Amino acid sequence: MSAKRTAKKAAPKKTVAKVPAKSTSEPTVSGYFAQQPADKRALLEKLRALVAKGVPDATPTIKWGVPVYQRNGRNLCALAAFKDHVAINFFVAPSVLADPGKKLEGGKTNRLLKVRSAGDIEAGTITRWLKAAAAANS
């Protein structure tokens, strides 16, 4: 037999597709705000400032994909952007938040204020709700 016939063909080289490495960094609150459209970001920033002023010891983190503010390890409120509005969600029973104007929505364990424009942000009322939620979650 000739050398050509007895030599084995070299196996074709396998090419390995490079898969991008997964990001190991956790999402940030600032990153959440930065990715929002300008109109929603402006409303969220106003709410964020009210949280910082009303409950200065609340710490923000990303939970459920949105900024959630916690105090003493308990959820206080969340800020989130939706298609037609932004919202601040208070993690307390309805009885904790005085709402004579019936602006809050929600169930038995939380209340939500939908904000469609800057006019929907009543600083005094929201600050009172934040302080009431903080006191209830102490």
Side-chain angles (χ1 to χ4, degrees):
M1 286 192 160
S2 72
K4 285 184 180 179
R5 289 187 181 168
T6 58
K8 292 184 177 179
K9 284 187 174 181
K13 287 188 177 184
K14 291 182 180 178
T15 56
V16 177
K18 291 189 177 185
V19 177
K22 284 188 174 181
S23 173
T24 56
S25 64
E26 292 292 321
T28 65
V29 172
S30 295
Y32 179 85
F33 284 94
Q35 72 184 13
Q36 302 306 319
D39 59 332
K40 288 190 173 69
R41 184 172 50 248
L43 296 173
L44 288 167
E45 290 291 353
K46 288 178 188 274
L47 292 171
R48 181 187 207 181
L50 289 174
V51 174
K53 183 179 177 185
V55 191
D57 61 338
T59 56
T61 187
I62 295 291
K63 207 173 197 184
W64 307 297
V66 300
V68 174
Y69 289 80
Q70 297 178 318
R71 187 167 174 259
N72 301 325
R74 298 188 62 186
N75 295 337
L76 176 68
C77 68
L79 303 179
F82 297 93
K83 181 180 176 184
D84 297 326
H85 63 277
V86 301
I88 182 168
N89 188 3
F90 300 94
F91 297 105
V92 292
S95 61
V96 172
L97 306 175
D99 183 24
K102 306 283 187 223
K103 295 182 183 226
L104 296 172
E105 301 175 19
K108 295 179 181 179
T109 59
N110 64 56
R111 303 300 286 163
L112 173 93
L113 174 68
K114 289 182 180 177
V115 177
R116 291 179 177 84
S117 71
D120 294 337
I121 300 174
E122 295 176 11
T125 301
I126 294 170
T127 300
R128 276 193 303 279
W129 289 336
L130 285 164
K131 290 182 178 192
N137 282 338
S138 293

